[in-house]
Short mmCIF file of all heavy atoms in Angstrom, two decimals:
data_model
loop_
_atom_site.label_atom_id
_atom_site.label_comp_id
_atom_site.label_asym_id
_atom_site.label_seq_id
_atom_site.Cartn_x
_atom_site.Cartn_y
_atom_site.Cartn_z
N GLU A 23 70.71 -99.63 -0.65
CA GLU A 23 70.30 -100.86 0.03
C GLU A 23 68.86 -101.22 -0.34
O GLU A 23 68.52 -102.40 -0.50
CB GLU A 23 70.45 -100.72 1.53
CG GLU A 23 71.89 -100.59 2.01
CD GLU A 23 72.75 -101.78 1.55
OE1 GLU A 23 72.26 -102.92 1.65
OE2 GLU A 23 73.89 -101.54 1.12
N ALA A 24 68.01 -100.21 -0.46
CA ALA A 24 66.63 -100.47 -0.84
C ALA A 24 66.53 -100.98 -2.26
O ALA A 24 65.70 -101.85 -2.58
CB ALA A 24 65.80 -99.17 -0.69
N LEU A 25 67.40 -100.48 -3.13
CA LEU A 25 67.44 -100.98 -4.51
C LEU A 25 67.81 -102.45 -4.54
O LEU A 25 67.20 -103.26 -5.24
CB LEU A 25 68.43 -100.15 -5.34
CG LEU A 25 67.97 -98.75 -5.77
CD1 LEU A 25 69.17 -97.95 -6.29
CD2 LEU A 25 66.91 -98.86 -6.86
N LYS A 26 68.86 -102.80 -3.78
CA LYS A 26 69.32 -104.19 -3.72
C LYS A 26 68.23 -105.09 -3.17
O LYS A 26 68.09 -106.25 -3.56
CB LYS A 26 70.56 -104.30 -2.88
CG LYS A 26 71.79 -103.63 -3.49
CD LYS A 26 73.00 -103.75 -2.56
CE LYS A 26 74.21 -103.04 -3.12
NZ LYS A 26 75.37 -103.11 -2.19
N ALA A 27 67.45 -104.58 -2.22
CA ALA A 27 66.40 -105.37 -1.59
C ALA A 27 65.14 -105.50 -2.43
O ALA A 27 64.19 -106.21 -2.06
CB ALA A 27 66.04 -104.75 -0.23
N GLY A 28 65.12 -104.78 -3.59
CA GLY A 28 63.98 -104.89 -4.48
C GLY A 28 62.76 -104.12 -4.02
O GLY A 28 61.63 -104.45 -4.41
N LYS A 29 62.95 -103.11 -3.20
CA LYS A 29 61.81 -102.32 -2.73
C LYS A 29 61.25 -101.49 -3.89
O LYS A 29 61.89 -101.33 -4.94
CB LYS A 29 62.21 -101.43 -1.56
CG LYS A 29 62.58 -102.24 -0.30
CD LYS A 29 62.82 -101.33 0.87
CE LYS A 29 63.13 -102.15 2.15
NZ LYS A 29 63.35 -101.29 3.32
N GLN A 30 60.05 -100.92 -3.67
CA GLN A 30 59.36 -100.21 -4.73
C GLN A 30 58.94 -98.82 -4.25
O GLN A 30 58.85 -98.54 -3.06
CB GLN A 30 58.11 -101.00 -5.20
CG GLN A 30 58.40 -102.39 -5.71
CD GLN A 30 59.18 -102.38 -7.01
OE1 GLN A 30 58.98 -101.53 -7.87
NE2 GLN A 30 60.10 -103.32 -7.14
N GLY A 31 58.64 -97.95 -5.23
CA GLY A 31 58.04 -96.65 -4.94
C GLY A 31 58.91 -95.78 -4.07
O GLY A 31 60.14 -95.79 -4.15
N ASP A 32 58.27 -95.01 -3.19
CA ASP A 32 59.00 -94.06 -2.35
C ASP A 32 60.00 -94.73 -1.42
O ASP A 32 60.92 -94.08 -0.95
CB ASP A 32 58.00 -93.25 -1.51
CG ASP A 32 57.17 -92.29 -2.36
OD1 ASP A 32 57.51 -92.11 -3.54
OD2 ASP A 32 56.21 -91.72 -1.81
N ASP A 33 59.83 -96.01 -1.15
CA ASP A 33 60.79 -96.73 -0.29
C ASP A 33 62.18 -96.77 -0.88
O ASP A 33 63.15 -97.11 -0.19
CB ASP A 33 60.29 -98.15 -0.01
CG ASP A 33 59.07 -98.18 0.89
OD1 ASP A 33 58.86 -97.19 1.61
OD2 ASP A 33 58.35 -99.19 0.88
N LEU A 34 62.30 -96.47 -2.18
CA LEU A 34 63.61 -96.47 -2.83
C LEU A 34 64.37 -95.16 -2.58
O LEU A 34 65.56 -95.07 -2.88
CB LEU A 34 63.45 -96.68 -4.35
CG LEU A 34 62.96 -98.07 -4.77
CD1 LEU A 34 62.68 -98.09 -6.27
CD2 LEU A 34 64.01 -99.13 -4.42
N LEU A 35 63.69 -94.14 -2.08
CA LEU A 35 64.32 -92.85 -1.86
C LEU A 35 64.98 -92.81 -0.48
O LEU A 35 64.50 -93.42 0.47
CB LEU A 35 63.28 -91.73 -1.93
CG LEU A 35 62.61 -91.51 -3.28
CD1 LEU A 35 61.52 -90.44 -3.15
CD2 LEU A 35 63.62 -91.10 -4.34
N LYS A 36 66.07 -92.06 -0.39
CA LYS A 36 66.68 -91.84 0.92
C LYS A 36 65.72 -91.06 1.80
O LYS A 36 64.93 -90.23 1.32
CB LYS A 36 68.00 -91.06 0.74
CG LYS A 36 69.09 -91.84 0.04
CD LYS A 36 70.35 -90.99 -0.14
CE LYS A 36 71.44 -91.80 -0.87
NZ LYS A 36 72.63 -90.97 -1.13
N GLN A 37 65.79 -91.30 3.08
CA GLN A 37 64.82 -90.74 4.01
C GLN A 37 64.82 -89.21 3.96
O GLN A 37 63.77 -88.58 4.09
CB GLN A 37 65.14 -91.22 5.43
CG GLN A 37 64.08 -90.82 6.46
CD GLN A 37 62.73 -91.48 6.17
OE1 GLN A 37 62.65 -92.69 5.95
NE2 GLN A 37 61.68 -90.67 6.17
N GLU A 38 65.98 -88.60 3.76
CA GLU A 38 66.03 -87.15 3.78
C GLU A 38 65.20 -86.52 2.67
O GLU A 38 64.66 -85.41 2.85
CB GLU A 38 67.50 -86.68 3.66
CG GLU A 38 68.17 -87.08 2.35
CD GLU A 38 69.64 -86.69 2.30
OE1 GLU A 38 69.92 -85.49 2.11
OE2 GLU A 38 70.49 -87.59 2.46
N TYR A 39 65.04 -87.24 1.56
CA TYR A 39 64.24 -86.69 0.47
C TYR A 39 62.76 -86.99 0.67
O TYR A 39 61.89 -86.19 0.30
CB TYR A 39 64.74 -87.23 -0.87
CG TYR A 39 66.15 -86.77 -1.17
CD1 TYR A 39 67.24 -87.61 -0.94
CD2 TYR A 39 66.39 -85.50 -1.61
CE1 TYR A 39 68.53 -87.18 -1.16
CE2 TYR A 39 67.68 -85.04 -1.84
CZ TYR A 39 68.75 -85.90 -1.61
OH TYR A 39 70.02 -85.45 -1.82
N ARG A 40 62.47 -88.13 1.27
CA ARG A 40 61.08 -88.43 1.61
C ARG A 40 60.57 -87.41 2.63
O ARG A 40 59.41 -86.98 2.57
CB ARG A 40 60.94 -89.84 2.15
CG ARG A 40 60.98 -90.92 1.07
CD ARG A 40 60.71 -92.28 1.64
NE ARG A 40 61.91 -92.91 2.18
CZ ARG A 40 61.93 -94.00 2.92
NH1 ARG A 40 60.79 -94.59 3.25
NH2 ARG A 40 63.04 -94.52 3.34
N ASP A 41 61.44 -87.00 3.55
CA ASP A 41 61.07 -86.04 4.57
C ASP A 41 60.75 -84.67 3.94
O ASP A 41 60.05 -83.85 4.56
CB ASP A 41 62.17 -85.87 5.61
CG ASP A 41 62.34 -87.12 6.47
OD1 ASP A 41 61.42 -87.95 6.51
OD2 ASP A 41 63.42 -87.26 7.11
N LYS A 42 61.28 -84.42 2.77
CA LYS A 42 61.02 -83.15 2.08
C LYS A 42 59.74 -83.21 1.24
O LYS A 42 59.43 -82.24 0.51
CB LYS A 42 62.20 -82.79 1.17
CG LYS A 42 63.49 -82.49 1.93
CD LYS A 42 64.62 -82.18 0.96
CE LYS A 42 65.92 -81.90 1.70
NZ LYS A 42 67.04 -81.60 0.74
N GLY A 43 59.02 -84.31 1.29
CA GLY A 43 57.81 -84.46 0.50
C GLY A 43 58.04 -84.79 -0.95
O GLY A 43 57.22 -84.47 -1.80
N ILE A 44 59.17 -85.43 -1.23
CA ILE A 44 59.52 -85.83 -2.59
C ILE A 44 59.10 -87.27 -2.80
O ILE A 44 59.29 -88.12 -1.92
CB ILE A 44 61.01 -85.65 -2.86
CG1 ILE A 44 61.38 -84.16 -2.84
CG2 ILE A 44 61.42 -86.29 -4.18
CD1 ILE A 44 62.84 -83.87 -3.00
N HIS A 45 58.49 -87.54 -3.93
CA HIS A 45 57.97 -88.86 -4.25
C HIS A 45 58.64 -89.38 -5.53
O HIS A 45 59.19 -88.62 -6.32
CB HIS A 45 56.47 -88.84 -4.44
CG HIS A 45 55.71 -88.39 -3.22
ND1 HIS A 45 55.38 -89.24 -2.20
CD2 HIS A 45 55.26 -87.15 -2.88
CE1 HIS A 45 54.73 -88.54 -1.27
NE2 HIS A 45 54.65 -87.28 -1.66
N LEU A 46 58.55 -90.72 -5.72
CA LEU A 46 59.15 -91.37 -6.89
C LEU A 46 58.07 -92.04 -7.71
O LEU A 46 57.19 -92.70 -7.20
CB LEU A 46 60.18 -92.41 -6.43
CG LEU A 46 60.81 -93.27 -7.52
CD1 LEU A 46 61.72 -92.43 -8.40
CD2 LEU A 46 61.58 -94.45 -6.92
N ARG A 47 58.17 -91.83 -9.05
CA ARG A 47 57.27 -92.52 -9.97
C ARG A 47 58.13 -93.31 -10.95
O ARG A 47 59.10 -92.77 -11.52
CB ARG A 47 56.40 -91.51 -10.71
CG ARG A 47 55.47 -92.13 -11.76
CD ARG A 47 54.62 -91.07 -12.47
NE ARG A 47 53.57 -90.60 -11.59
CZ ARG A 47 53.36 -89.32 -11.30
NH1 ARG A 47 54.18 -88.41 -11.77
NH2 ARG A 47 52.35 -88.98 -10.53
N THR A 48 57.82 -94.57 -11.18
CA THR A 48 58.57 -95.41 -12.10
C THR A 48 57.60 -96.11 -13.06
O THR A 48 56.46 -96.41 -12.69
CB THR A 48 59.40 -96.49 -11.38
OG1 THR A 48 58.51 -97.38 -10.71
CG2 THR A 48 60.34 -95.87 -10.38
N TYR A 49 58.05 -96.32 -14.27
CA TYR A 49 57.27 -97.10 -15.23
C TYR A 49 58.16 -97.55 -16.38
O TYR A 49 59.21 -96.96 -16.65
CB TYR A 49 56.09 -96.29 -15.76
CG TYR A 49 56.45 -95.05 -16.56
CD1 TYR A 49 56.57 -95.09 -17.95
CD2 TYR A 49 56.67 -93.82 -15.93
CE1 TYR A 49 56.89 -93.95 -18.67
CE2 TYR A 49 57.00 -92.69 -16.64
CZ TYR A 49 57.10 -92.76 -18.02
OH TYR A 49 57.42 -91.63 -18.75
N ALA A 50 57.75 -98.65 -16.98
CA ALA A 50 58.49 -99.18 -18.13
C ALA A 50 58.10 -98.39 -19.37
O ALA A 50 56.92 -98.23 -19.68
CB ALA A 50 58.17 -100.67 -18.32
N GLU A 51 59.08 -97.89 -20.09
CA GLU A 51 58.84 -97.16 -21.32
C GLU A 51 59.00 -98.10 -22.50
O GLU A 51 59.97 -98.86 -22.57
CB GLU A 51 59.83 -95.98 -21.44
CG GLU A 51 59.55 -95.10 -22.65
CD GLU A 51 60.56 -93.97 -22.73
OE1 GLU A 51 61.76 -94.24 -22.82
OE2 GLU A 51 60.14 -92.80 -22.72
N PRO A 52 58.07 -98.10 -23.47
CA PRO A 52 58.18 -99.02 -24.62
C PRO A 52 59.24 -98.52 -25.61
O PRO A 52 58.93 -98.11 -26.72
CB PRO A 52 56.77 -98.98 -25.22
CG PRO A 52 56.26 -97.62 -24.87
CD PRO A 52 56.83 -97.29 -23.50
N THR A 53 60.47 -98.54 -25.14
CA THR A 53 61.60 -98.03 -25.92
C THR A 53 62.61 -99.14 -26.13
O THR A 53 62.91 -99.88 -25.19
CB THR A 53 62.28 -96.86 -25.18
OG1 THR A 53 61.33 -95.78 -25.03
CG2 THR A 53 63.49 -96.36 -25.93
N LEU A 54 63.15 -99.21 -27.32
CA LEU A 54 64.24 -100.16 -27.60
C LEU A 54 65.48 -99.38 -27.98
O LEU A 54 65.44 -98.58 -28.92
CB LEU A 54 63.85 -101.13 -28.72
CG LEU A 54 64.91 -102.13 -29.16
CD1 LEU A 54 65.31 -103.03 -27.98
CD2 LEU A 54 64.44 -102.98 -30.34
N HIS A 55 66.56 -99.60 -27.26
CA HIS A 55 67.84 -99.00 -27.58
C HIS A 55 68.68 -100.08 -28.28
O HIS A 55 68.76 -101.22 -27.84
CB HIS A 55 68.54 -98.57 -26.28
CG HIS A 55 69.93 -98.08 -26.45
ND1 HIS A 55 70.86 -98.11 -25.42
CD2 HIS A 55 70.59 -97.56 -27.53
CE1 HIS A 55 72.00 -97.63 -25.85
NE2 HIS A 55 71.88 -97.29 -27.11
N TYR A 56 69.30 -99.73 -29.40
CA TYR A 56 70.03 -100.70 -30.19
C TYR A 56 71.12 -100.02 -31.00
O TYR A 56 71.16 -98.80 -31.14
CB TYR A 56 69.08 -101.45 -31.14
CG TYR A 56 68.32 -100.56 -32.09
CD1 TYR A 56 68.76 -100.26 -33.37
CD2 TYR A 56 67.08 -100.01 -31.70
CE1 TYR A 56 68.06 -99.43 -34.22
CE2 TYR A 56 66.36 -99.19 -32.54
CZ TYR A 56 66.84 -98.89 -33.81
OH TYR A 56 66.12 -98.07 -34.63
N ILE A 57 72.04 -100.82 -31.51
CA ILE A 57 73.06 -100.35 -32.44
C ILE A 57 72.69 -100.89 -33.81
O ILE A 57 72.47 -102.10 -34.00
CB ILE A 57 74.46 -100.84 -32.04
CG1 ILE A 57 74.85 -100.24 -30.69
CG2 ILE A 57 75.50 -100.47 -33.11
CD1 ILE A 57 76.11 -100.87 -30.12
N SER A 58 72.58 -99.99 -34.77
CA SER A 58 72.13 -100.33 -36.13
C SER A 58 73.34 -100.37 -37.06
O SER A 58 74.03 -99.36 -37.23
CB SER A 58 71.12 -99.29 -36.57
OG SER A 58 70.74 -99.49 -37.92
N PHE A 59 73.59 -101.53 -37.62
CA PHE A 59 74.68 -101.65 -38.61
C PHE A 59 74.24 -101.03 -39.94
O PHE A 59 73.07 -101.15 -40.32
CB PHE A 59 75.08 -103.10 -38.84
CG PHE A 59 75.77 -103.77 -37.70
CD1 PHE A 59 75.11 -104.68 -36.91
CD2 PHE A 59 77.09 -103.46 -37.40
CE1 PHE A 59 75.75 -105.28 -35.85
CE2 PHE A 59 77.74 -104.07 -36.35
CZ PHE A 59 77.06 -104.99 -35.56
N ASN A 60 75.15 -100.43 -40.65
CA ASN A 60 74.89 -99.99 -42.02
C ASN A 60 75.09 -101.19 -42.92
O ASN A 60 76.23 -101.61 -43.20
CB ASN A 60 75.83 -98.86 -42.41
CG ASN A 60 75.59 -98.35 -43.83
OD1 ASN A 60 74.76 -98.89 -44.56
ND2 ASN A 60 76.33 -97.32 -44.23
N MET A 61 74.00 -101.78 -43.40
CA MET A 61 74.10 -103.02 -44.16
C MET A 61 74.68 -102.81 -45.56
O MET A 61 74.91 -103.76 -46.29
CB MET A 61 72.71 -103.67 -44.28
CG MET A 61 72.14 -104.10 -42.93
SD MET A 61 73.12 -105.35 -42.09
CE MET A 61 72.68 -106.82 -43.06
N ASN A 62 74.97 -101.55 -45.92
CA ASN A 62 75.65 -101.26 -47.19
C ASN A 62 77.16 -101.20 -47.02
O ASN A 62 77.90 -101.07 -48.00
CB ASN A 62 75.14 -99.94 -47.77
CG ASN A 62 73.70 -100.00 -48.22
OD1 ASN A 62 73.25 -101.03 -48.71
ND2 ASN A 62 72.97 -98.91 -48.02
N ASP A 63 77.63 -101.32 -45.80
CA ASP A 63 79.07 -101.21 -45.52
C ASP A 63 79.81 -102.42 -46.08
O ASP A 63 79.36 -103.55 -45.99
CB ASP A 63 79.30 -101.12 -44.01
CG ASP A 63 80.76 -100.94 -43.66
OD1 ASP A 63 81.32 -99.88 -43.99
OD2 ASP A 63 81.34 -101.88 -43.07
N ASP A 64 81.00 -102.16 -46.65
CA ASP A 64 81.76 -103.20 -47.30
C ASP A 64 82.34 -104.23 -46.31
O ASP A 64 82.65 -105.37 -46.71
CB ASP A 64 82.92 -102.59 -48.11
CG ASP A 64 82.42 -101.85 -49.34
OD1 ASP A 64 81.30 -102.15 -49.80
OD2 ASP A 64 83.14 -100.96 -49.81
N VAL A 65 82.52 -103.84 -45.04
CA VAL A 65 83.13 -104.72 -44.05
C VAL A 65 82.07 -105.42 -43.20
O VAL A 65 82.12 -106.64 -43.02
CB VAL A 65 84.13 -103.96 -43.18
CG1 VAL A 65 84.72 -104.89 -42.10
CG2 VAL A 65 85.24 -103.36 -44.02
N PHE A 66 81.12 -104.67 -42.67
CA PHE A 66 80.13 -105.22 -41.73
C PHE A 66 78.77 -105.47 -42.39
O PHE A 66 77.89 -106.05 -41.78
CB PHE A 66 79.95 -104.29 -40.55
CG PHE A 66 81.04 -104.42 -39.52
CD1 PHE A 66 82.25 -103.77 -39.67
CD2 PHE A 66 80.83 -105.21 -38.39
CE1 PHE A 66 83.24 -103.90 -38.73
CE2 PHE A 66 81.85 -105.35 -37.44
CZ PHE A 66 83.04 -104.67 -37.60
N GLY A 67 78.58 -105.03 -43.61
CA GLY A 67 77.28 -105.11 -44.25
C GLY A 67 77.10 -106.30 -45.18
O GLY A 67 77.91 -107.23 -45.25
#
């Protein structure tokens, strides 16, 4: 529900884990995931 509400940080964790002293860290990683065609292929290249 917290995810759907757009909350941030530790508010995204269930209370039982926050009660255990567990914290959340988030950040955007400069990573691109892609599918690479083999441009030498006779059908798709």
Side-chain angles (χ1 to χ4, degrees):
E23 294 303 317
L25 284 167
K26 292 178 183 178
K29 293 186 178 181
Q30 301 293 322
D32 290 350
D33 289 339
L34 291 173
L35 296 175
K36 292 178 181 177
Q37 188 64 49
E38 62 184 285
Y39 296 100
R40 283 186 275 170
D41 291 343
K42 295 179 180 179
I44 293 176
H45 300 275
L46 175 69
R47 177 179 286 125
T48 64
Y49 64 93
E51 185 180 59
T53 298
L54 177 61
H55 174 204
Y56 57 93
I57 296 170
S58 174
F59 290 105
N60 181 356
M61 297 298 284
N62 293 324
D63 182 68
D64 291 336
V65 178
F66 280 83

